[in-house]
Amino acid sequence: MSVQRWSQVERVPDSPFLRARASYDEAGPVLLGVPMDVTISFRPGARFGPARIRAVSEGLETYSPSLERDLEDLAFHDAGSLLLPFGRVEEALALIEDAVGALLDDGHWPFLLGGEHLLTLGAVQAAAQRYPEMAVLQFDAHADQRDTYLGQKLSHATVMRRAGEVLGPERIHQVGIRSGEREEMAWARSRSRLLPSDPAAALPALRALKAELGTRPVYVTVDLDVVDPGFAPGLGTPEPGGWSGADLLAAVRSLAGLNVVGCDLVELSPPYDGPGEASAFLAAKVVREALLALPPG
């Protein structure tokens, strides 16, 4: 195992997520903050997401009535947040890939708290090396399938196109998508797997996808902007016409039993959240439900 390698990953401590009391060695799931905020093109601020998710988590109960499970019974660890070189995209992605690889090699289940959506590429690259048959399930308002954005190949707007190059575009399953340029959407429809954007149709489609994927390893990425900004205003690229918070929570719970090998939640932008911090509280509750529903065992 690579415990020594993990000890060399540069991190900063943070107030741990709700009841994250287990040591690194004892834990199954491990939370890792990834405050990447380099390519966001509209409203920056996602670098503050991990800290706010952790801070507001103390306002939640550990018990999920919907799942009838309790974080008090889960041995999970909060490893703090990565130290990332601001403005150096490729170096940051390499650090994310190495950190996630170390977690996987040590037998942990990684859950990344973002941070901008490009961070998912580093995690996918690490997981794909260990799970060559892996698929990705993306919850998002935006397709993120452009080949370039503002002249750049590496962007939060291109992350799923790059992930498709790692895995094969047909292994990218997207749900909730309601925004994209014409060519981008044509690419997604013809090469990737677009599930319904309407939440009423999405749940049956997710159940069918679970049956289709069977035991195949799956990486789940949740962009908080799949939720309508009326419910979650603290977003870097808000897109009206989206899901409710309840829709997203139900969808995450519905994935229980899928062979999820890693997960992230991205694109919370606390500076735009308002005094009630509705987006941060929703993000923290999604993390709680995902921790209770998705890790194997």
Side-chain angles (χ1 to χ4, degrees):
M1 293 298 184
S2 61
V3 175
Q4 180 61 34
R5 184 164 133 242
W6 171 252
S7 71
Q8 296 170 355
V9 174
E10 287 193 273
R11 291 165 288 127
V12 292
D14 209 335
S15 298
F17 188 84
L18 180 66
R19 302 300 191 275
R21 294 172 175 162
S23 70
Y24 180 81
D25 292 335
E26 296 169 333
V30 172
L31 295 175
L32 179 64
V34 186
M36 188 177 188
D37 190 6
V38 183
T39 75
I40 289 177
S41 53
F42 187 44
R43 304 198 308 194
R47 76 191 73 171
F48 305 115
R52 289 317 300 160
I53 292 171
R54 289 168 165 131
V56 304
S57 72
E58 288 299 320
L60 299 178
E61 303 287 355
T62 60
Y63 176 67
S64 168
S66 298
L67 293 168
E68 296 186 352
R69 296 177 185 172
D70 199 313
L71 286 181
E72 296 282 7
D73 303 322
L74 180 67
F76 73 106
H77 175 73
D78 192 329
S81 293
L82 285 178
L83 277 172
L84 297 175
F86 189 74
R88 287 145 61 184
V89 175
E90 292 184 354
E91 186 175 337
L93 287 173
L95 290 170
I96 295 164
E97 179 180 352
D98 191 58
V100 173
L103 288 172
L104 291 169
D105 289 344
D106 285 346
H108 296 295
W109 190 86
F111 195 142
L112 308 187
L113 306 179
E116 68 160 272
H117 210 166
L118 183 58
L119 69 86
T120 300
L121 179 59
V124 165
Q125 288 169 325
Q129 292 174 29
R130 291 147 181 91
Y131 302 101
E133 298 302 312
M134 187 180 78
V136 169
L137 176 58
Q138 169 198 6
F139 292 87
D140 207 324
H142 306 93
D144 295 342
Q145 291 268 27
R146 302 180 193 219
D147 186 40
T148 63
Y149 186 66
L150 300 178
Q152 301 300 309
K153 286 275 194 178
L154 296 174
S155 168
H156 73 122
T158 69
V159 59
M160 287 301 127
R161 184 73 165 259
R162 301 289 86 83
E165 291 170 353
V166 174
L167 298 169
E170 72 282 356
R171 294 196 203 169
I172 307 298
H173 305 267
Q174 302 181 283
V175 61
I177 308 301
R178 59 187 185 275
S179 179
E181 66 176 8
R182 183 183 304 180
E183 294 80 4
E184 176 186 14
M185 294 306 297
W187 169 274
R189 292 187 185 101
S190 65
R191 305 293 184 92
S192 299
R193 297 283 301 277
L194 274 178
L195 279 67
S197 59
D198 177 71
L203 277 178
L206 286 170
R207 287 193 289 268
L209 180 65
K210 274 179 61 177
E212 176 187 335
L213 291 173
T215 60
R216 170 175 280 187
V218 179
Y219 184 90
V220 175
T221 177
V222 180
D223 187 324
L224 197 62
D225 69 25
V226 71
V227 176
D228 190 274
F231 296 98
L235 305 168
T237 49
E239 184 67 36
W243 293 16
S244 70
D247 292 329
L248 176 57
L249 290 165
V252 169
R253 295 182 194 117
S254 78
L255 303 181
L258 199 61
N259 183 19
V260 178
V261 297
C263 186
D264 65 50
L265 186 146
V266 299
E267 299 280 350
L268 170 67
S269 188
Y272 300 96
D273 204 10
E277 296 192 274
S279 313
F281 276 103
L282 174 60
K285 189 163 184 176
V286 170
V287 172
R288 186 194 73 185
E289 298 299 276
L291 282 170
L292 292 173
L294 301 186

